[in-house]
Amino acid sequence: MEKKPAVNILSSCYHCGDRILGERVELEGKLFCCSGCKIVFEILQQNNLCDYYSIEHTPGTSPSQIEISRFAFLDDETIQKQLLDFSDGKTSTVTFSLPAVHCSSCIWLLEQLYKLDEGIVDSRVDFLKKQVSIRFRQQKTSLKNVVILLSSIGYEPELQLDAVDKKLESGMTRALYYKIGVAGFCFGNSMLFSFPEYLGVDASEQFLKPIFSYLNLLLGLPVFFYCSADYFTSALGGLRKKIINIDVPIALGIVLLFGRSVYEIITHSGPGFIDSMCGLLFFLLLGRVFQSKTYDRLNFERNYKSYFPLSVTTKKNGKETTVPIAALQRGTRIVIRHGEIIPADSILLRGNASVDYAFVTGESSPVEKVLGEVIYAGGKQTGGVIELEVLKEVSQSYLTQLWNNFNRSAREMGQLSELSNSVSKYFTIAVLSISAFVLVYWLPKDATTAINAFTGILIVACPCALAISIPFTLGTTLRIFGRNGLYLKNTAVIESMAKIDTVVFDKTGTITHPERSTVEYVGIDLTENEKNGVFSLVSNSVHPVSIMIAEHLAAQKMECEKYSETINNGISCVIDSAAYCIGTREFVGAALFPKGAVNETRSYLSINGEAKGYFSIKNVYRNGLQEIVALLSKKLRLSVVSGDNESERIRLQSMFPKGTDLLFNQTPADKLEYVKSLQVAGKRVLMIGDGLNDAGALLQSNLGIAVTENISQFSPSSDAILDGAFVRQLPEFIQFSVMSMRIVIASFVLAFTYNMVGIYFALQGMLTPIMAAVLMPASSITIVLFTTISTQLLAKKRGLLSWQ
């Protein structure tokens, strides 16, 4: 039964924490400031989501009155197309900006939306950007219902369509500048009011001391309650979750300075430390801004500046050319082949589209598209070649996000990153213990020295330098690799690369050079029409052998029907009522033709079931392959797995060390099982393939690298993509990963040394709180500069960066 008892001005809302100033609402012994907060509580309770309140105390926001009619415009298809990131008619994804997100409870609740609406499949929160990405099924819910749900629980999204790309300064940044201004004003004036203490006044002027002391205390109030609020909130939030974060010692130091100051001023036993506290907050906040600006200049985050080098084939005046997707504009005509990812929202102009959106939805279920229908970015073409017209400019950050999110749970954080977090936590506990011991030691002897030593240790010995050494070292390495044709999903890949002890190579398109291999047709002469038919068939595929045959024939393209591609066997289609097949002897039924000779790969051809002949491909291995093998084999075990026959065995035996596993006629399943067997034996495996027939092995391995020639093969199963022109630098990449991890260790040592020196002086009371506040951000910036500059100098020394 809902009650409305008399107001208690000290009461606060169970949901949002706001003070109840008028009539209050009570439910099950809990008080709420309005019916909106009560309704949100009931929603969470009905769906067993009240753990929300155990993460943070009063975590919610007070929801505004929901007027469903306000969101009626979201039923309009035009508006939906502007807001949706993706839709295949069944599943849609949308990203909203939620200014109300403010704590870990918000994240927890927003990632449990699927429990509140069965149509929502999942939701992920980007706390730093205050955004949520939601995937929902259109048959069970709608965009409008999702927005209404968010609004009903206090997280109404921003829906200004014209402000999507505007870069506005966040409220958090503006508030930080306000706090710096307040702290600076109070710091300067508190020093003026402390002049009697600094200069030593005459006894006749002693009456000025208490006046100035009270004025100081008045100046200290906004600094303590306003400027320090973020540190108190962060520290208390961590303690509620039984976590000691880096703001705990800082908050303790501030409380001690203010508490001691209040005591001394009120009891007239001393001048207090208000000037020190104001100076401390001023320099802490100033250091936070300086750090932020430094990080921005060195930022490697790819959400807004993607280094992902996806390219695509465009068609203009009947001619095809490959361009980077950054050059694509609205209205550009693009050509997508079997297995390629559609990089931009487009409209189908030609061909039969069968699009697999597993990359976006997580479910592999190809969707047939008809001419004139919209195809969203991120879908993979599973049929033959199609032509599209770009509707929206390409968002590389969106494709990068898809790539990073694919199988994200497998290798999300390296062991060293986990070690860093653990070290930071225990380091904070050690600092608290040392500072408490120092306080107890000095207090009976000298209270001023005790407070200076205690607060100095708490502030200068900040473990944040440890936390930033890994992202900045590995982030710089990630950018350096990107400049040299190796594109990584995230920084954890570098750590994995530094630990591998076994390298498994695919052959065709990986260690062979598809653009330099020779192609020769052997068999019954083909008519001009048949050549056109064969050319049209292989033009649909992005397999290296198909590309080589297409370049060899250079004929006229014809319309293909019923195109299909059987992994590790071949491709087929119908052209002018004739059935064309190219692939293995068994696939095309060409048993009468002999198997390939040494140093030769064969793709057999049949038309309407009649074996016509074969294309003989003489492989050309990549430049420097023997040097690559020689360098890698010094420390790593090498293997070669190939879907081709054994015609290259003798040649490969002469290139690789004695005892190297050389496996041929391997299906994709065979390759995967081989990688598994190595892992069972305790090996850390790096799989290098072309991303086509090796997807399973790439995903199974500890680290998977897909090698491509024009970077048009978007391979979500890999951890990295390597431009074929840079394969020769593979040993350098692996060695540089090892060196990068050593720089991380060196930065750990530097951070510990820095903190130990600071603690040494703080122990003796020689380090004032203000000086500690200056040194704390300085230590973080020192680590940032050390890791970044060291990594870049090492890269220049090893030829991965130019000196210009």
Side-chain angles (χ1 to χ4, degrees), residues 1-6 20 23-35 38 41-42:
M1 184 73 178
E2 186 178 314
K3 300 178 181 179
K4 294 184 178 180
I20 302 174
E23 288 189 342
R24 58 189 182 183
V25 179
E26 184 174 352
L27 179 70
E28 297 181 359
K30 298 174 177 63
L31 301 179
F32 301 93
C33 64
C34 63
S35 59
K38 180 181 77 72
F41 172 77
E42 289 177 322

Side-chain angles (χ1 to χ4, degrees), residues 10 22 83 103 124 134 167 180 182 275 289 330 354 461 470 582 586 596 689 733 738 757-758 780:
L10 298 178
L83 289 173
C103 68
R124 287 179 178 173
I134 301 172
K167 294 182 179 179
I180 290 174
V182 171
D275 55 337
V289 171
R330 185 175 180 178
S354 179
I470 288 178
I582 292 180
E586 295 77 14
F733 291 139
V738 175
V757 171
S780 298

Side-chain angles (χ1 to χ4, degrees), residues 55-70:
I55 299 173
E56 297 277 352
H57 181 59
T58 63
T61 58
S62 183
S64 59
Q65 186 68 28
I66 303 301
E67 296 178 12
I68 296 178
S69 59
R70 287 196 298 121

